[in-house]
Amino acid sequence: MRLSHIFLVTAAIAFAGCAHTHREHEHEHEHEHAEAHEHEHENGHEHAEGHNHDHEHGDEGHAHSEHEHEGEHKDAPGVIVMHNEAAARFGVRTEVAQPGDFNAVVKCAGQVVRSGADDAVASAPTAGIVHFAAGMNPGSKAARGSVIAVIDASGMSGGDANEAAKAQLAAAEAELDRIQDLYDDRLATQGELLAAQAAVAKAKAAYSPSAGNGRVTSPINGTVTTLLVKEGSYVNAGDPIASIGTGEGSVLRADIPQRYYSLAPSFTDMRAQFANAPVFTVSERGGHRLSGAPAGETAISGAYIPVYFTAAGTGMAAGTPFTAYLIGVTRQGVLTVPVSALSEQQGNFFVYENYAPEHYRKLPVKTGASDGIRTEIVSGLEPGTTYVAEGVSAVRLSETSGIIPQGHTHNH
């Protein structure tokens, strides 16, 4: 019995182990069958996609494009993603690069200078004692014809010279009338008549009607810059009493480097860029190039050649520096971008291409001449390329942060 019992126990254990092994084998077989079925399903799906590609090329091509687009955006270096809403919020605007006309431009330093019409002197109309108008000081406004001072000639030793000249004129005119009557009656000679006429002319030259009131008036609209005499001073007729200035220069001087001497005659217009002020073109403000230097200006010696332009209404004081862009001969077929499209990084220039919706990349470019508004692109940007014309700083921020704006994802 003992041997029979041991045999039965051993057989039961062996049977149980065999059954367990069989179940594990069946489980592994089922798992492999499931994987194979899934693989066949994927193959069938791929086959179906291939079949759809043959018959529904547009739909499969669109899905394939999105898949490639996703992979490119995730893996390609230098890709910048910015959602359209974010681009609009930060003022990102694009343009298509197209060649066009562009004027030869030379960038140089400039300075506002005064012309003869920017400053004036108010002079004494007669000899006498100076009495300034009430409240007249340096900095006082002076309209054309307004009174700066009054010259009092009364009580002067020898009398008022202008009053004496007035009396002489009256006497000369009376004598001329008497001689004219005698000449008409043939009682005076032609020589006597001519002498009387000359005496009247001489008396008129000595007498100034405007000097009779002794008023010193401003010849221009401007501001009194200097009082050249003191209150109560004695002056002679014609002595300067006060200086008046317009407060701004009406002439712009551009200093061209000597190497551009041969091009100097071709520069007929100029753009001027002052600090913290918009760029403006001289011709747009009614200005033009001057044939010579304004009064009081001397040519610059050495390595620079001065070129002068009129520029009414600059609002800038004489001596104010600016950047000048001298405009010369027009060139055709030149590729340019707005100055706002350029990003300078470590001495190199870049533009940002908008090569796909909501996707940008940085293009290194070589720049040429600039007129202050647009800059020539010598290489690095092809015609027909869509690039960022405004809002470059926002695109560059997205580039450096590497953050996709919220609400935009490629996880499909």
Side-chain angles (χ1 to χ4, degrees):
M1 291 295 295
R2 285 185 180 178
L3 293 174
S4 299
H5 181 71
I6 293 173
F7 174 76
L8 290 174
V9 171
T10 303
I13 293 173
F15 178 80
C18 180
H20 178 72
T21 303
H22 180 69
R23 283 196 301 269
E24 286 183 347
H25 178 71
E26 286 182 346
H27 178 72
E28 290 176 356
H29 180 71
E30 288 175 357
H31 180 71
E32 290 174 356
H33 179 72
E35 287 183 343
H37 179 72
E38 183 179 353
H39 181 70
E40 288 176 358
H41 177 73
E42 290 178 352
N43 289 340
H45 180 68
E46 291 176 355
H47 178 72
E49 285 187 345
H51 183 72
N52 289 337
H53 177 74
D54 293 335
H55 296 280
E56 298 175 3
H57 178 73
D59 293 341
E60 188 281 336
H62 177 71
H64 183 68
S65 175
E66 286 185 346
H67 181 73
E68 284 188 344
H69 194 56
E70 177 183 351
E72 179 185 359
H73 297 162
K74 287 182 177 180
D75 301 331
V79 171
I80 306 163
V81 181
M82 175 177 281
H83 189 37
N84 286 339
E85 293 179 0
R89 184 167 64 252
F90 292 109
V92 176
R93 185 180 64 82
T94 61
E95 287 184 3
V96 177
Q98 295 293 345
D101 293 347
F102 188 69
N103 293 90
V105 175
V106 169
K107 180 181 177 181
C108 59
Q111 189 178 67
V112 180
V113 298
R114 291 191 181 279
S115 70
D118 293 329
D119 295 293
V121 173
S123 301
T126 186
I129 303 300
V130 177
H131 298 289
F132 287 104
M136 184 56 60
N137 294 294
S140 299
K141 294 295 183 181
R144 184 183 180 90
S146 63
V147 176
I148 303 294
V150 175
I151 307 300
D152 182 11
S154 62
M156 299 297 298
S157 176
D160 188 340
N162 197 62
E163 284 297 320
K166 182 178 180 181
Q168 290 176 357
L169 176 60
E173 289 175 338
E175 178 64 12
L176 176 60
D177 290 341
R178 188 183 72 83
I179 295 297
Q180 184 69 51
D181 291 340
L182 292 175
Y183 180 78
D184 292 341
D185 294 335
R186 298 187 178 183
L187 298 175
T189 65
Q190 186 178 10
E192 290 174 323
L193 178 62
L194 293 174
Q197 291 173 341
V200 170
K202 183 177 180 180
K204 284 183 176 180
Y207 169 68
S208 172
S210 61
N213 54 29
R215 290 184 295 182
V216 181
T217 59
S218 174
I220 62 172
N221 295 320
T223 302
V224 175
T225 57
T226 309
L227 299 178
L228 301 173
V229 298
K230 294 181 179 180
E231 173 71 20
S233 300
Y234 173 81
V235 294
N236 293 309
D239 284 353
I241 303 301
S243 295
I244 299 96
T246 61
E248 64 176 52
S250 61
V251 173
L252 302 180
R253 185 188 74 203
D255 302 330
I256 308 176
Q258 188 72 33
R259 64 180 179 275
Y260 297 113
Y261 176 80
S262 61
L263 296 177
S266 69
F267 298 125
T268 58
D269 205 351
M270 180 180 70
R271 287 193 178 95
Q273 183 175 28
F274 290 87
N276 302 320
V279 177
F280 68 88
T281 303
V282 167
S283 60
E284 292 175 351
R285 296 196 176 184
H288 60 275
R289 180 172 173 173
L290 297 173
S291 57
E297 278 293 309
T298 57
I300 302 175
S301 59
Y304 297 95
I305 305 164
V307 178
Y308 298 91
F309 293 84
T310 61
T314 63
M316 300 296 175
T320 304
F322 66 92
T323 301
Y325 298 89
L326 294 168
I327 303 172
V329 179
T330 300
R331 292 185 292 148
Q332 297 178 340
V334 180
L335 189 64
T336 64
V337 299
V339 173
S340 59
L342 292 171
S343 174
E344 184 177 2
Q345 302 173 26
Q346 298 180 349
N348 298 314
F349 288 97
F350 300 87
V351 298
Y352 288 91
E353 179 189 3
N354 180 205
Y355 69 93
E358 303 185 351
H359 292 81
Y360 307 82
R361 58 187 167 204
K362 183 168 63 177
L363 302 178
V365 295
K366 182 179 180 181
T367 60
S370 176
D371 61 4
I373 297 177
R374 300 188 70 87
T375 298
E376 177 184 8
I377 301 299
V378 178
S379 63
L381 183 66
E382 296 297 327
T385 302
T386 301
Y387 65 94
V388 178
E390 294 181 3
V392 167
S393 57
V395 181
R396 185 176 179 182
L397 181 62
S398 295
E399 175 192 11
T400 55
S401 65
I403 298 174
I404 300 176
Q406 186 175 2
H408 184 72
T409 178
H410 286 282
N411 294 327
H412 300 292

